[in-house]
Amino acid sequence: MSIQTLKDITAGTAGGICQVLVGQPFDIVKVRMQTAPKGTYKGMLDCPLAFYKGTLTPLLGIGVCVSIQFGVIEWMKRFYAQQNILNGLGGPSGLDLTGSQLVVSGVAAGLANGVVSGPVEHIRIRLQTQPAKNPTYAGPYDAIKKIFSSHGIQGIYKGQAVTLLRESTGYGVYFLAYEKLVQREMATKGIKRDQISPLNSVLYGAAAGYALWAVIYPIDMVKSRMQTDGFSPSTGQKYSSTWNCVSTVWRTEGIKAFTRGLGPTLIRSPFANGATFLGFEMAIRVLSPSS
C-alpha cells in the first residue's frame, strides 16, 4: 500500500467521523420512520428522539467505511489519470476524468465500502430501533455476539444484497457530482484543488449528498426493512427476500412507504455530506500540503 493511499484512508476517516457527529441524530429519526408500522408517526417531529443512540457503532464503523470509500476513489482517480496521460486525455495531469470514469470509480468505492457498511449499518439499525426498556442488545458487541451465535455470518450480513445495490448506485452518482463541481471550479478559476475554499467544499458535498439520496432513497428504505426484519419465521420474519420486501411493502403500504423518513434525510444530507468532504479535503491538505 502506497503512502498516498494511507493518507487518503486517514483523511477519509476524518471525513467519516465528521459525518457521524453531524448526521447521527437525523439518521436515527429516518430509520425509525422507515421501519415503524404505517401510522406510527405523523411526521419527523412526532418521532421520539434519542439523538446519539447507537452512535459508537457508526463512529467506529462509518469512519472505516468512509476511509475505504476515499481510499478506493482516490486510487481509481490516479489509475484513470495514468491511462489518460498515456492517451493524451484529461489535461496535463490526466486528472480531468470523464463522467463515465468517475461513475465507475464511485461504483468501485461503493462496492468496497459495502463489504464493511453492510454489517455496520445492520448492527446500528438493530440498536437504534430496539426498545429503551428491556433492550435485546446491551451494545454493539453484544449484538454482534448474539446475532453471530444464533444466525452465523449470514445473520451479520443480513440485507447485504440490497446494501451493495445501494452503495454501488449511490456512490457512482455521489462522487460524479462532487468531482464534476470541483473540476468546474478549478477550470473556471484556473486554480488548484487545494485552493478551493472550505465553504465550497461544504457546498459541493451538500450537492453530492442530495444527488445520492435522490437516487437511492427507496433502496435505502428496503435495506432498513430487511435489516430490522426477523431472522426466521419463528423470530418474526416478514420478508423472505429483497424482492418479497419490495412487493409486500408496495401491496400493503403503497408507494408512500418508499419515501417515508425522507424529511429528516433531506435535512441531514447537506450537513453530513458537507462535513464529510470538508473533513476529507482539510485533512488531505494537512497530510499532503504540496498536492
Side-chain angles (χ1 to χ4, degrees):
M1 184 181 294
S2 70
I3 296 297
Q4 187 56 53
T5 298
L6 287 174
K7 290 179 179 180
D8 296 334
I9 290 172
T10 302
T13 302
I17 292 171
C18 291
Q19 180 185 114
V20 172
L21 293 178
V22 172
Q24 177 71 354
F26 299 102
D27 189 70
I28 290 176
V29 176
K30 171 186 74 84
V31 169
R32 288 183 172 182
M33 292 183 70
Q34 284 180 330
T35 58
K38 184 178 181 181
T40 302
Y41 306 123
K42 297 177 182 178
M44 62 176 289
L45 297 179
D46 189 45
C47 186
L49 303 178
F51 275 178
Y52 286 96
K53 185 176 183 180
T55 297
L56 179 61
T57 306
L59 193 59
L60 298 175
I62 300 302
V64 174
C65 291
V66 179
S67 72
I68 292 171
Q69 292 169 24
F70 280 100
V72 173
I73 192 72
E74 294 299 318
W75 188 91
M76 291 292 294
K77 283 163 58 181
R78 288 192 292 275
F79 169 78
Y80 276 124
Q82 293 173 353
Q83 301 299 311
N84 287 345
I85 290 172
L86 292 175
N87 295 317
L89 303 171
S93 65
L95 283 170
D96 290 337
L97 271 59
T98 65
S100 60
Q101 288 174 334
L102 288 170
V103 169
V104 171
S105 299
V107 168
L111 289 173
N113 168 65
V115 175
V116 178
S117 70
V120 167
E121 295 203 7
H122 178 207
I123 300 302
R124 176 178 65 169
I125 287 174
R126 293 284 175 186
L127 293 173
Q128 288 176 341
T129 56
Q130 68 178 349
K133 294 182 180 179
N134 301 317
T136 304
Y137 309 113
Y141 298 111
D142 185 53
I144 292 169
K145 182 173 67 175
K146 287 180 177 177
I147 292 171
F148 183 78
S149 64
S150 299
H151 309 287
I153 194 67
Q154 287 185 328
I156 297 293
Y157 274 90
K158 185 173 176 60
Q160 186 64 14
V162 69
T163 297
L164 291 175
L165 175 62
R166 187 194 73 160
E167 303 293 65
S168 58
T169 304
Y171 287 108
V173 173
Y174 188 61
F175 286 110
L176 170 66
Y178 183 80
E179 292 294 335
K180 280 300 180 182
L181 288 168
V182 168
Q183 284 182 11
R184 186 182 68 172
E185 179 167 353
M186 290 169 61
T188 301
K189 297 182 179 179
I191 59 176
K192 296 181 179 179
R193 190 183 185 102
D194 60 7
Q195 294 175 304
I196 294 175
S197 73
L199 175 60
N200 282 352
S201 294
V202 171
L203 294 175
Y204 297 159
Y210 275 133
L212 177 143
W213 285 110
V215 172
I216 71 165
Y217 194 82
I219 304 174
D220 184 72
M221 189 284 299
V222 174
K223 183 190 79 70
S224 294
R225 292 292 185 99
M226 292 294 294
Q227 292 184 330
T228 54
D229 195 23
F231 292 94
S232 65
S234 64
T235 58
Q237 186 181 39
K238 298 177 183 177
Y239 314 115
S240 59
S241 66
T242 299
W243 179 247
N244 178 251
C245 177
V246 173
S247 60
T248 300
V249 172
W250 182 283
R251 185 180 67 254
T252 59
E253 301 178 48
I255 194 170
K256 288 185 178 180
F258 291 91
T259 58
R260 191 182 302 153
L262 184 60
T265 300
L266 295 179
I267 296 172
R268 169 191 180 272
S269 181
F271 299 105
N273 291 291
T276 301
F277 281 103
L278 176 65
F280 173 79
E281 296 288 0
M282 294 302 102
I284 206 69
R285 292 181 194 185
V286 171
L287 293 170
S288 303
S290 60
S291 65

